[in-house]
Amino acid sequence: MKLEEIHEISVLGAGIMGHGIAQSFLMGGYPVWLYDIQESILGTAKERIEKNLELFYRAGLVRKEDIDLALNRLSTTADLKRAIEGSDFIVEAAPEDLPLKQDLFQRVESLCGKDTIMATNTSSLTLKDIGAGVKRKERLVITHWFNPPHIVPTVEVVKGEGTSEETMQTAYGLLMKIRKVPVKIYKELPGFLVNRIQVAMAREVFDLYERGVASAADIDKAVKGSFGFRLASIGPLLTADLGGLDLWFKVCANLLPHIQSSTDPPEVLQRLVSQGNFGIKSGKGFYDYAVDFSKTELDGTIQRRDQEFLDRLKHLYWDKKIEE
Ligand SMILES: NC(=O)c1ccc[n+]([C@@H]2O[C@H](COP(=O)([O-])OP(=O)(O)OC[C@H]3O[C@@H](n4cnc5c(N)ncnc54)[C@H](O)[C@@H]3O)[C@@H](O)[C@H]2O)c1
C-alpha cells in the first residue's frame, strides 16, 4: 500500500494512547474510525479529543474552524468489522497483552482489505509474536508513539522480520504528512530506541536518589536545566560532537566504572512499589501529593503539563502560527 492510496484510518483501542493517536490523524485531515470493546470509553475518548483540540486552538496550533472539521471526520464504534472494513491504515492501541493482540490481529486480517497496513503501538512485544497468526506479514509494522501522543512529535517506525520496505516507507510518509516526527528503526531490539535510552538514564537517576546524593526536587531541577534543556534542541550525538569526542572519551573512561549497571529493577522502585506508593495516582511517589488530591486536580496538572508541551511543540516543530 502506497501513501497516496491511504484515505481512511482506524484506531483500535480508545484509551490513553488510542484517543490521542486518533486526534493526530484527524488533525492531519484523515477520516478516522475509533474502535473499542467498551462503548462508554468511546464517549470519553470523544470528549477528551474535543478538549485537546480546544487546547491546540488556544495554543495557536489549529484554527477555530479546524476543531469542528476534525471532529466531523471522527466515527466511533464497538463493531470491529465496521471500524476496519474501509480502512487503509490500522493502528492497534489495545492493552499490552500478547494473546489479546494476537487474536485481534488475526480477526483484523480476516476483515480488512488485503493490502491494508496493520500497525501496532506495542511498547514491549515483538511483531513476530503479535503477528504470529497473520498471513501477509509484509504489511505489519510497529508505530510506537509517546504519551501524550497527540503532542509528542516522535513516533518510532520499527521493521519486523516480514515488514516490507514499502510498508516502512508508507508508515513513515503518513506520519510525516500528519506533522509527526517519525524515525525508522531497522533492528527490532527490546525497547526499540527511545525507551532503551530513557531506561539507561532512569537507572542512574533512581540510584542517585536512593543513595541520598540529592533530593528528588533537585535531581529533577538539575536534569531539566542542564542536558534536558539542551536535548529539546540538539540530540546527544551532536552534543558529543560539539563538546569534543576526545573529551567524551576521557569522561566515559573515568566515569563509566562508577555508573550503576545492575540489571535488577532499581531498589528504590522495589521499595516504593511494595509500600503501595505508585506516584501521583496513590498520593505518594518520589513526591508527596495532598491526601485528597482529587481527579479534578489531576486533570488540572495534566492540562498544565500539556499547555507547556504545546508551547514547546509550537516553538520547536510547528512551521508557523496558523492565522485565524
Ligand atoms: N500509556 C503509554 O504511555 C504508552 C506509550 C507507548 C505505547 N503504549 C502502548 O499502547 C497500547 C495501549 O496502551 P494504553 O496506555 O493506551 O492502554 P489503555 O488501557 O489506556 O487503553 C487500552 C484500550 O483498549 C481497549 N481494549 C481492550 N481490549 C480490546 C480489544 N480486544 N480490542 C480493542 N480495544 C480493546 C480498552 O477498553 C482500553 O480502552 C499498549 O500496547 C501500550 O503498551 C502505551
Side-chain angles (χ1 to χ4, degrees), residues 15-17 35-38 41 93-96 101 121 123 145:
I16 294 175
M17 298 303 286
Y35 161 81
D36 203 289
I37 51 168
Q38 293 185 61
I41 287 187
E96 190 76 340
K101 286 193 196 282
N121 188 45
S123 314
W145 300 57

Side-chain angles (χ1 to χ4, degrees), residues 2 17 31 38 50 56 77 86-87 93 101 111 128 132 141 150 153 181 192 239 253 260-261 306 309:
K2 295 217 163 22
M17 298 303 286
Q38 293 185 61
E50 270 181 63
F56 267 70
T77 181
S87 182
K101 286 193 196 282
L111 295 169
K128 190 175 178 194
V141 65
H150 53 294
V181 180
F192 315 131
T239 298
Q260 176 58 260
S261 59
D306 287 357
F309 283 177

Side-chain angles (χ1 to χ4, degrees), residues 29-306:
Y30 285 95
V32 174
W33 276 96
L34 182 57
Y35 161 81
D36 203 289
I37 51 168
Q38 293 185 61
E39 288 274 4
S40 62
I41 287 187
L42 291 168
T44 312
K46 196 167 177 201
E47 280 168 23
R48 289 163 103 178
I49 291 173
E50 270 181 63
K51 269 196 200 150
N52 289 337
L53 283 167
E54 187 63 37
L55 282 179
F56 267 70
Y57 164 65
R58 277 196 255 138
L61 292 158
V62 298
R63 292 168 304 198
K64 188 80 178 158
E65 60 266 34
D66 293 331
I67 298 181
D68 283 339
L69 288 173
L71 289 172
N72 288 340
R73 286 191 279 269
L74 174 66
S75 310
T76 60
T77 181
D79 176 347
L80 184 61
K81 183 167 186 288
R82 195 142 177 249
I84 63 175
E85 62 190 352
S87 182
D88 309 302
F89 193 94
I90 298 170
V91 186
E92 171 273 312
E96 190 76 340
D97 175 299
L98 181 59
L100 183 151
K101 286 193 196 282
Q102 284 175 328
D103 172 64
L104 187 56
F105 268 79
Q106 264 182 285
R107 283 192 292 138
V108 165
E109 185 171 48
S110 70
L111 295 169
C112 71
K114 68 175 181 34
D115 293 324
T116 301
I117 293 180
M118 294 157 54
T120 172
N121 188 45
T122 182
S123 314
S124 58
L125 300 168
T126 64
L127 264 189
K128 190 175 178 194
D129 288 338
I130 294 176
V134 171
K135 294 187 192 87
R136 297 193 53 195
K137 299 193 196 308
E138 67 276 13
R139 42 127 151 221
L140 286 176
V141 65
I142 294 174
T143 53
H144 183 241
W145 300 57
F146 296 87
N147 191 28
H150 53 294
I151 302 179
V152 180
T154 290
V155 180
E156 295 175 309
V157 181
V158 188
K159 188 180 184 313
E161 261 179 19
T163 311
S164 69
E165 186 53 31
E166 182 174 286
T167 298
M168 285 294 283
Q169 294 298 352
T170 302
Y172 182 86
L174 180 64
L175 290 161
M176 289 280 285
K177 205 169 157 194
I178 62 166
R179 304 179 91 160
K180 300 308 284 187
V181 180
V183 287
K184 288 185 206 138
I185 298 175
Y186 280 97
K187 281 196 176 133
E188 200 185 356
L189 301 177
F192 315 131
L193 187 145
V194 173
N195 280 344
R196 292 177 76 94
I197 299 169
Q198 194 167 240
V199 166
M201 185 200 72
R203 176 169 60 184
E204 182 61 23
V205 166
F206 292 142
D207 189 55
L208 288 168
Y209 174 86
E210 183 70 347
R211 291 160 64 184
V213 172
S215 67
D218 278 350
I219 292 174
D220 277 353
K221 190 162 79 174
V223 171
K224 281 197 300 181
S226 59
F227 65 80
F229 179 84
R230 282 198 308 237
L231 284 176
S233 302
I234 55 166
L237 295 178
L238 180 55
T239 298
D241 271 353
L242 294 179
L245 299 185
D246 49 340
L247 174 64
W248 272 92
F249 180 85
K250 285 183 195 148
V251 169
C252 285
N254 291 338
L255 292 191
L256 280 179
H258 305 284
I259 301 298
Q260 176 58 260
S261 59
S262 163
T263 55
D264 293 327
E267 274 175 40
V268 63
L269 288 189
Q270 295 196 30
R271 194 181 65 252
L272 287 172
V273 169
S274 69
Q275 291 164 348
N277 296 323
F278 303 138
I280 204 163
K281 63 184 169 188
S282 70
K284 190 170 164 49
F286 289 105
Y287 297 94
D288 279 325
Y289 304 91
V291 182
D292 58 352
F293 199 84
S294 65
K295 169 134 187 7
T296 320
E297 283 173 286
L298 178 60
D299 286 349
T301 305
I302 290 173
Q303 264 207 13
R304 280 191 298 280
R305 176 201 72 177
D306 287 357

